[in-house]
């Protein structure tokens, strides 16, 4: 098995795709007006419209209703990214903070309220863990 993507269901695909394109610097590829993907070398962030939910099971997902998942992105310099997102991101949850497990993390919310973590490994152990 290989974990390849996470999908966010939203009421406004274009708005959310534009947000993630700006935040990550990754250009989305669109399959339809209801579905786009931002692909990185190791995983994909898929963004889909509420109209796609019944294809799986009616009522099985609700947009802007996440309070338990954090989507995480490894970045080269979280402090620099924080500076570049200031004025764009409207809901920073935490400023860059070094966590006990060795990552320096920046937590914020996307326009639908989903939590996003941009992080940079800073301890020797974390650097080794994420070495690519």
């Amino acid at each position: 098995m290989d974990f390849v993507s996470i999908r966010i269901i939203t009421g406004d695909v274009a708005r959310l795709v534009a947000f993630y394109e700006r935040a990550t610097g990754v250009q989305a590829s669109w399959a339809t007006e209801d579905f786009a993907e931002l692909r990185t070398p190791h995983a994909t962030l898929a963004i889909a419209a509420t109209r796609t939910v019944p294809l799986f099971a009616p009522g099985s997902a609700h947009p802007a209703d996440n309070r338990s998942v954090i989507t995480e992105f490894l970045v080269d310099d979280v402090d620099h990214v924080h500076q570049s997102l200031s004025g764009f991101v409207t809901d920073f949850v935490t400023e860059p903070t070094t966590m006990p497990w060795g990552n320096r993390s920046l937590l914020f919310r996307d326009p639908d309220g989903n939590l996003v973590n941009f992080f940079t490994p800073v301890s020797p152990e974390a650097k080794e863990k994420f070495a690519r």
Side-chain angles (χ1 to χ4, degrees), residues 32-132:
T32 70
E33 67 179 336
D34 289 333
F35 186 83
E37 294 178 319
L38 288 89
R39 294 186 189 118
T40 71
H42 299 282
T44 298
L45 175 62
I47 300 173
T50 54
R51 290 188 295 256
T52 65
V53 173
L55 298 172
F56 294 98
S60 61
H62 304 275
D65 197 27
N66 172 31
R67 290 292 184 227
S68 63
V69 174
I70 302 172
T71 304
E72 300 186 307
F73 294 88
L74 176 65
V75 299
D76 290 334
D77 182 345
V78 75
D79 292 286
H80 177 74
V81 171
H82 177 244
Q83 290 174 357
S84 71
L85 293 178
S86 294
F88 170 68
V89 170
T90 59
D91 191 358
F92 285 107
V93 177
T94 62
E95 303 291 316
T97 304
T98 301
M99 298 299 184
W101 45 89
N103 292 333
R104 189 154 172 79
S105 295
L106 169 66
L107 195 64
F108 58 94
R109 291 192 185 278
D110 73 14
D112 278 3
N114 300 302
L115 284 169
V116 180
N117 179 32
F118 281 5
F119 72 94
T120 301
V122 293
S123 73
E125 298 82 11
K127 287 178 181 180
E128 182 179 336
K129 177 181 177 181
F130 291 103
R132 300 199 171 167

